[in-house]
């Protein structure tokens, strides 16, 4: 336990000293949406029975005109799809049109909301949080597939649906429960299937 605590303290110190550096060398921002599937070049052949889709989600953009973020969970959520059929591979990518995404596009800045790492330049300590800017819908952890749509999940109360063919966002799922206003409700970022079902 002491070893883990020491590692966390060291990591926090590094992030303070090099705020904004984070893991930015591991990815590049792309502000594009590829809504029409593109054929990808392949080498070799795929078995005729191989067909289906591989979906991934992650941050798609980490910079704005005003501010940058550099931690994987702070980027704007984007869906990626590789579809395999008839020996061909097609590719699509599309931002999930969450409140976080809309605010960032409209203001050319990230909203002041809880982030995993420091923004560069940092937000003013006196600036009010933009609580209505989608602070809890920066959803980029997990996807749960259904028949015609999938759900994007993270550790928040917001679950976003999107179309499996077009990757277009279909909006938030309604939360019909007894959670009272002002209390924090979390979904499960990494749900597990019950093997008995």
């Amino acid at each position: 336990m002491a070893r883990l605590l020491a590692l966390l303290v060291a990591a926090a110190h590094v992030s303070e000293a090099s705020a904004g550096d984070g893991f930015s060398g591991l990815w590049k921002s792309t502000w594009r949406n590829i809504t029409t599937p593109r054929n990808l070049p392949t080498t070799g052949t795929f078995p005729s029975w191989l067909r289906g889709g591989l979906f991934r989600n992650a941050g798609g953009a980490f910079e704005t005109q005003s501010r940058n973020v550099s931690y994987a969970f702070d980027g704007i959520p984007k869906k990626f799809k590789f579809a395999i059929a008839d020996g061909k591979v097609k590719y699509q990518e599309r931002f999930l049109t969450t409140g976080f995404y809309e605010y960032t596009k409209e203001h050319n800045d990230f909203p002041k909301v809880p982030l995993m790492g420091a923004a560069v330049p940092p937000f003013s300590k006196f600036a009010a949080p933009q609580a209505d800017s989608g602070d809890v819908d920066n959803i980029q952890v997990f996807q749960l597939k259904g028949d015609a749509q999938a759900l994007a999940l993270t550790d928040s109360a917001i679950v976003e649906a999107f179309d499996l063919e077009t990757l277009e966002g279909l909006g938030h799922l309604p939360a019909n429960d007894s959670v009272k206003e002002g209390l924090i409700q979390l979904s499960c970022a990494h749900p597990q299937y019950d093997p008995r079902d």
Side-chain angles (χ1 to χ4, degrees), residues 5-6 8 13 22-23 53 92 105 107 111 119 131 140 150 190 193 197:
L5 184 58
L8 291 173
H13 177 70
F23 305 102
Q92 287 172 268
K105 288 290 283 183
H107 295 91
Q140 53 180 309
H190 303 281
Y193 292 101
D197 287 342

Coordinates of all heavy atoms in Angstrom, one line a residue, residues 5-6 8 13 22-23 53 92 105 107 111 119 131 140 150 190 193 197:
L5 N 1.0 4.3 -2.8 CA 0.9 5.7 -2.4 C 2.1 6.6 -2.8 O 1.9 7.7 -3.4 CB 0.7 5.8 -0.8 CG 0.5 7.2 -0.3 CD1 -0.8 7.9 -0.9 CD2 0.3 7.2 1.2
A6 N 3.3 6.0 -2.7 CA 4.5 6.7 -3.1 C 4.4 6.9 -4.7 O 4.8 8.0 -5.2 CB 5.7 5.9 -2.8
L8 N 1.7 7.2 -6.5 CA 0.7 8.2 -6.8 C 1.2 9.6 -6.5 O 1.0 10.5 -7.3 CB -0.6 7.9 -6.0 CG -1.4 6.7 -6.5 CD1 -2.5 6.4 -5.5 CD2 -1.9 6.9 -7.9
H13 N 3.3 14.7 -8.6 CA 4.4 15.7 -8.6 C 4.8 16.0 -10.1 O 5.0 17.1 -10.5 CB 5.5 15.3 -7.8 CG 6.7 16.2 -7.8 ND1 6.6 17.5 -7.3 CD2 7.9 16.1 -8.4 CE1 7.8 18.1 -7.5 NE2 8.6 17.3 -8.2
G22 N 1.7 15.4 -20.0 CA 0.9 14.1 -19.8 C 1.4 13.0 -20.8 O 2.5 12.7 -20.8
F23 N 0.4 12.5 -21.5 CA 0.7 11.4 -22.5 C 0.5 11.9 -23.9 O 0.2 11.1 -24.8 CB -0.2 10.2 -22.2 CG -0.1 9.8 -20.7 CD1 -1.1 10.1 -19.8 CD2 0.9 9.0 -20.3 CE1 -1.0 9.7 -18.5 CE2 1.0 8.6 -19.0 CZ 0.0 8.9 -18.1
G53 N -17.9 -6.0 -37.1 CA -17.4 -4.7 -36.8 C -16.6 -4.6 -35.5 O -16.9 -5.3 -34.6
Q92 N -14.5 4.1 -40.3 CA -15.3 5.4 -40.0 C -14.8 5.9 -38.7 O -14.3 5.2 -37.9 CB -16.8 5.1 -39.9 CG -17.5 4.8 -41.1 CD -18.9 4.3 -40.8 OE1 -19.2 3.2 -40.6 NE2 -19.9 5.3 -40.6
K105 N -16.6 23.1 -29.4 CA -16.7 23.6 -30.7 C -17.2 25.0 -30.7 O -16.7 25.9 -31.5 CB -17.6 22.7 -31.6 CG -17.1 21.3 -31.9 CD -16.0 21.4 -32.9 CE -16.5 21.6 -34.3 NZ -15.5 21.6 -35.3
H107 N -17.1 27.4 -28.3 CA -16.3 28.4 -27.6 C -14.8 28.3 -27.9 O -14.0 29.1 -27.4 CB -16.5 28.2 -26.1 CG -17.9 28.5 -25.6 ND1 -18.8 27.5 -25.5 CD2 -18.4 29.7 -25.2 CE1 -19.9 28.1 -25.1 NE2 -19.7 29.4 -24.9
P111 N -14.5 23.4 -21.6 CA -15.2 23.9 -20.4 C -14.5 23.7 -19.1 O -13.7 22.7 -19.0 CB -16.5 23.1 -20.4 CG -16.2 21.9 -21.1 CD -15.1 22.2 -22.1
A119 N -5.2 21.5 -17.5 CA -5.3 22.1 -18.8 C -4.2 23.1 -18.9 O -3.7 23.7 -18.0 CB -6.7 22.8 -18.9
A131 N -21.1 24.2 -15.4 CA -21.8 22.9 -15.0 C -22.9 22.5 -16.1 O -23.2 21.4 -16.2 CB -22.5 23.1 -13.7
Q140 N -16.0 8.3 -23.0 CA -15.1 7.6 -23.9 C -14.4 6.4 -23.3 O -13.3 6.1 -23.7 CB -14.0 8.7 -24.3 CG -13.3 9.3 -23.2 CD -12.3 10.3 -23.7 OE1 -11.5 9.9 -24.5 NE2 -12.3 11.5 -23.2
A150 N -25.6 1.3 -29.9 CA -24.7 0.9 -28.9 C -24.8 2.0 -27.8 O -25.3 3.1 -28.1 CB -23.3 0.8 -29.4
H190 N -17.1 -0.2 -17.0 CA -16.7 -1.5 -17.5 C -17.6 -2.6 -17.0 O -17.3 -3.4 -16.2 CB -15.2 -1.8 -17.1 CG -14.3 -0.7 -17.5 ND1 -13.7 -0.7 -18.7 CD2 -13.7 0.3 -16.8 CE1 -12.9 0.3 -18.8 NE2 -12.9 0.9 -17.6
Y193 N -20.9 -9.0 -18.4 CA -22.1 -9.8 -18.6 C -22.2 -10.9 -17.6 O -21.2 -11.5 -17.2 CB -22.0 -10.4 -20.1 CG -22.1 -9.4 -21.2 CD1 -21.0 -8.9 -21.8 CD2 -23.4 -8.9 -21.5 CE1 -21.1 -8.0 -22.9 CE2 -23.5 -7.9 -22.5 CZ -22.4 -7.5 -23.2 OH -22.5 -6.6 -24.2
D197 N -27.0 -15.5 -18.0 CA -28.1 -15.0 -18.9 C -28.0 -15.4 -20.3 O -27.0 -15.6 -20.9 CB -28.1 -13.4 -18.8 CG -28.6 -12.9 -17.5 OD1 -29.2 -13.7 -16.8 OD2 -28.3 -11.8 -17.2

